[in-house]
């Protein structure tokens, strides 16, 4: 069911829908847009394989899906798409998860050939989003001009206040976008999604990679961004990255179920998975306009 905005709430928050039939809204100097289309066809998949220099891609790649958040006056833009995420997968190049039957999952069409599984068939990615700074703006950006893609994140100890985010503030816009998905030949699940919601006080998004190799491994990589609107179109953004991972055997040894059916929702079982990496960064966007 598609999200429908409330015109009165939009007006009260100083927001308006994006023009030209685009899905999203404009609020406090931000243009926030989501796009959801069909999975890639065979021709586009071949092009992606060539560009990524691989013969392996997830079963379902939503290559035209994306989420774009642009701070218009500063030119700061965050965007989330499948291609950049798969570039991250290719570069990280994790070793394949050791499962005896794994080779058969991906090479069922050649059962008589000896196959060496030499790539990460889970499509695990370190991707935390794409970003750039566009310079064709009317106001002079406070972000240093050190190249079109340089955004000066600073490490910090602040945390996103998830309790405050759970308050009953009107949701002006919400969407969930699937970037890619693979069911590991019915032996688990691997997917990458991004969710966004916009409130009068700011916007919040969750980029999530979730992997469950049944009976073997679970891996959760979350990136959260929270933007608080300030005066004069200023914004403060916190970005948290948290990677969790464990084996079914380790969970079973702690008394948790071994059955994969107990681990269908990563949001519910996330706290059972040990943290293997965590960091928080902060970005201040200020736009001193030329007089």
């Amino acid at each position: 069911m598609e999200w429908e905005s409330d015109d009165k709430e939009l007006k009260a928050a100083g927001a308006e829908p994006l023009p030209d039939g685009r899905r999203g809204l404009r609020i406090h100097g931000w243009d926030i847009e989501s796009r959801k289309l069909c999975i890639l066809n065979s021709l586009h998949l071949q092009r992606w394989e060539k560009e990524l220099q691989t013969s392996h891609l997830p079963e379902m790649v939503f290559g035209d899906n994306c989420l774009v958040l642009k701070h218009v006056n500063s030119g700061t833009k965050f965007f989330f798409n499948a291609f950049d995420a798969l570039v991250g997968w290719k570069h990280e190049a994790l070793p394949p998860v050791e499962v005896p039957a794994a080779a058969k999952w991906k090479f069922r069409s050649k059962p008589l050939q000896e196959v060496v599984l030499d790539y990460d068939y889970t499509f695990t990615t370190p991707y935390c989003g794409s970003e750039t700074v566009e310079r064709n703006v009317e106001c002079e950006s406070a972000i240093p001009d050190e190249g079109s893609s340089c955004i000066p994140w600073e490490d910090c100890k602040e945390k996103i206040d998830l309790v405050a985010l759970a308050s009953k503030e009107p949701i002006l816009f919400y969407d969930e976008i699937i970037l890619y998905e693979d069911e590991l030949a019915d032996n688990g699940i691997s997917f990458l999604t991004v969710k966004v919601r916009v409130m009068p006080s700011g916007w919040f998004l969750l980029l999530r990679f979730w992997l469950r190799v049944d009976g073997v491994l679970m891996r959760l990589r979350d990136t959260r961004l929270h933007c608080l609107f300030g005066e004069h179109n200023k914004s403060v953004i916190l970005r948290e990255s948290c990677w969790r991972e464990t084996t079914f055997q380790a969970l079973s040894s702690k008394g948790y179920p071994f059955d994969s059916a107990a681990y269908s929702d990563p949001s519910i079982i996330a706290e059972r998975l040990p943290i293997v990496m965590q960091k928080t960064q902060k970005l201040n966007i200020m736009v001193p306009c030329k007089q």
Side-chain angles (χ1 to χ4, degrees), residues 8 36 50 56 63-64 87 99 107 112 115 132 140 144-145 147 154 182 197 207 211 216-217 222 240 247 265 285 287:
K8 291 183 179 180
K36 294 194 288 189
K50 183 177 180 181
H56 312 290
D64 293 319
V87 168
V99 180
F107 300 95
L112 300 180
V115 175
T132 188
E140 181 181 355
D145 190 0
E154 297 180 356
D182 195 306
R197 59 184 167 106
L207 175 73
L211 169 70
V216 182
L217 176 73
D222 284 346
E240 290 184 6
T247 63
D265 187 343
I285 297 178
V287 188

Side-chain angles (χ1 to χ4, degrees), residues 30 69-71 74-78 130-133 141-144 149-158 160 203 224-230 233-240 280-286:
W30 286 91
L69 306 99
K70 181 178 179 181
H71 189 261
S74 72
T76 305
K77 182 166 75 172
F78 305 102
S130 307
E131 56 192 41
T132 188
V133 178
S141 173
I143 293 178
S149 62
C150 180
I151 292 184
W153 291 99
E154 297 180 356
D155 292 339
C156 69
K157 295 183 179 180
E158 297 177 55
I160 295 175
W203 53 259
R224 293 176 171 85
L225 275 77
H226 181 214
C227 172
L228 279 174
F229 301 139
N233 289 345
K234 297 178 182 178
S235 294
V236 178
I237 303 174
L238 287 179
R239 179 170 68 184
E240 290 184 6
T280 307
Q281 296 171 297
K282 186 176 183 178
L283 175 67
N284 288 287
I285 297 178
M286 302 174 63

Side-chain angles (χ1 to χ4, degrees), residues 79-94:
F79 51 103
F80 302 81
N81 61 79
F83 185 85
D84 290 349
L86 289 170
V87 168
W89 158 74
K90 191 71 165 38
H91 287 170
E92 187 174 22
L94 292 177

Side-chain angles (χ1 to χ4, degrees), residues 23-236:
R23 179 171 173 77
L25 54 76
R26 180 170 293 160
I27 182 171
H28 287 276
W30 286 91
D31 279 6
I32 300 170
E33 179 179 4
S34 64
R35 304 171 199 162
K36 294 194 288 189
L37 297 168
C38 300
I39 63 174
L40 293 184
N41 59 33
S42 57
L43 183 61
H44 287 137
L45 285 173
Q46 290 175 9
R47 187 192 311 166
W48 279 40
E49 288 177 350
K50 183 177 180 181
E51 293 180 7
L52 291 166
Q53 297 184 337
T54 182
S55 57
H56 312 290
L57 288 176
E59 291 173 338
M60 292 177 285
V61 181
F62 295 85
D64 293 319
N65 285 8
C66 67
L67 173 67
V68 182
L69 306 99
K70 181 178 179 181
H71 189 261
V72 178
N73 286 342
S74 72
T76 305
K77 182 166 75 172
F78 305 102
F79 51 103
F80 302 81
N81 61 79
F83 185 85
D84 290 349
L86 289 170
V87 168
W89 158 74
K90 191 71 165 38
H91 287 170
E92 187 174 22
L94 292 177
V97 179
E98 293 294 332
V99 180
K104 297 179 182 178
W105 299 355
K106 295 297 180 181
F107 300 95
R108 293 188 299 273
S109 61
K110 301 178 181 178
L112 300 180
Q113 295 185 16
E114 182 178 356
V115 175
V116 177
L117 193 63
D118 58 357
Y119 74 101
D120 175 21
Y121 59 85
T122 69
F123 301 101
T124 298
T125 178
Y127 185 62
C128 61
S130 307
E131 56 192 41
T132 188
V133 178
E134 299 176 348
R135 294 299 175 185
N136 56 335
V137 293
E138 296 180 358
C139 292
E140 181 181 355
S141 173
I143 293 178
D145 190 0
E146 299 177 1
S148 61
S149 62
C150 180
I151 292 184
W153 291 99
E154 297 180 356
D155 292 339
C156 69
K157 295 183 179 180
E158 297 177 55
K159 299 292 184 182
I160 295 175
D161 190 344
L162 297 178
V163 175
L165 281 170
S167 64
K168 294 183 179 181
E169 190 177 9
I171 298 177
L172 307 176
F173 178 71
Y174 172 84
D175 210 350
E176 178 177 6
I177 301 102
I178 301 173
L179 300 180
Y180 62 74
E181 183 174 348
D182 195 306
E183 295 184 352
L184 309 181
D186 296 326
N187 288 274
I189 187 69
S190 168
F191 66 72
L192 182 68
T193 64
V194 59
K195 301 179 183 179
V196 64
R197 59 184 167 106
V198 184
M199 298 77 67
S201 64
W203 53 259
F204 173 75
L205 73 82
L206 169 63
L207 175 73
R208 167 164 287 174
F209 173 81
W210 167 241
L211 169 70
R212 190 191 72 240
V213 182
D214 291 343
V216 182
L217 176 73
M218 282 181 284
R219 181 179 288 154
L220 181 65
R221 294 185 173 184
D222 284 346
T223 298
R224 293 176 171 85
L225 275 77
H226 181 214
C227 172
L228 279 174
F229 301 139
E231 296 180 355
H232 309 297
N233 289 345
K234 297 178 182 178
S235 294
V236 178

